[in-house]
Amino acid sequence: MSAPMTPDREQEIRTLDLLELMSDRVAPVISGHLAALLGEVDRLRARVAELEAGSPWERAVAGLNALADADIAFWIEPDGHISGPFGDEHIEWDQETSRWVLTRDDDPCRPCGCPKRFDRHADGCPALPDVTEPPAVTADRWNAQYPVGTPVYAYPGCRPEDDSKCTRLTTRTRSAASVLGGHTAVVWVEGHSAYISLTHVDPRPETGGAL
């Protein structure tokens, strides 16, 4: 005949039964979370390997793809800096350090220390645009003078005054001028897939040819 079960023994058995029940229910949840975490670790390791491996060009592509993977819209301005339609972050070339740097609209301007927004630069700041009017006014003035299809010379990278070896496109506009990012008046031209700043587009006389 077995000894009578004491209250402590009964409590111990109930506790063990409860732990077993919890284990059966919690284990799948923990396993699922663990699998998700391990998957994220594998993804991050692959991203690190992508950024560290390959040529500098491949690493640069990986960096731009990081923006695409995060669903961040961006474009490359005619002067080379990278910006987007939303937010205030930009990637710009710093001539003083010869490095690409992440900047924000409210960061001080590197040439002179003044605020960087279009309408808040200090007078005489080297970073001021060549035009003194807001970009929306520039775009409206262009549209009033030059309809879509106007013959133009377009310079996608730099102007000939800055580099004699620059690319010049003999083409026509294929859109009205507009403002991108709140700070650049641009237009699209035939034979070129990206927009071009109006500071890099010159109307040309009609010659009677195809262009």
Side-chain angles (χ1 to χ4, degrees):
M1 175 184 250
S2 61
M5 188 174 295
T6 65
D8 290 342
R9 179 55 180 166
E10 290 182 2
Q11 182 62 40
E12 182 180 348
I13 292 175
R14 291 195 189 96
T15 301
L16 291 174
D17 290 341
L18 180 60
L19 289 175
E20 184 177 356
L21 178 62
M22 292 178 60
S23 176
D24 291 340
R25 295 182 178 179
V26 172
V29 177
I30 294 177
S31 178
H33 284 302
L34 181 59
L37 289 173
L38 291 176
E40 180 66 11
V41 169
D42 289 340
R43 188 190 70 80
L44 292 175
R45 283 176 175 169
R47 171 61 70 185
V48 170
E50 182 182 2
L51 293 173
E52 292 181 345
S55 69
W57 286 101
E58 290 170 330
R59 295 198 298 272
V61 170
L64 293 177
N65 282 334
L67 294 176
D69 291 343
D71 293 327
I72 297 177
F74 66 93
W75 54 73
I76 300 177
E77 303 285 357
D79 62 2
H81 89 267
I82 301 173
S83 62
F86 309 107
D88 63 350
E89 294 179 318
H90 314 276
I91 300 174
E92 299 181 355
W93 180 254
D94 179 20
Q95 293 183 350
E96 182 178 342
T97 61
S98 295
R99 304 286 293 178
W100 290 100
V101 295
L102 178 64
T103 66
R104 294 172 175 81
D105 285 340
D106 289 330
D107 290 343
C109 166
R110 289 179 179 268
C112 71
C114 70
K116 283 197 306 188
R117 289 187 185 276
F118 180 92
D119 57 351
R120 290 168 50 195
H121 274 283
D123 292 338
C125 169
L128 275 172
D130 293 334
V131 295
T132 57
E133 60 189 7
V137 175
T138 301
D140 289 343
R141 180 168 51 81
W142 173 276
N143 292 332
Q145 297 178 1
Y146 307 112
V148 176
T150 293
V152 296
Y153 294 121
Y155 307 93
C158 57
R159 291 191 60 88
E161 307 94 277
D162 302 321
D163 187 348
S164 60
K165 297 180 181 180
C166 72
T167 299
R168 184 180 80 168
L169 303 177
T170 302
T171 182
R172 295 176 182 272
T173 60
R174 59 183 176 93
S175 75
S178 58
V179 177
L180 289 180
H183 52 70
T184 305
V186 302
V187 72
W188 277 258
V189 301
E190 296 175 357
H192 191 69
S193 60
Y195 65 86
I196 300 179
S197 171
L198 287 183
T199 60
H200 286 58
V201 178
D202 296 330
R204 63 179 175 84
E206 183 71 71
T207 59
L211 290 176

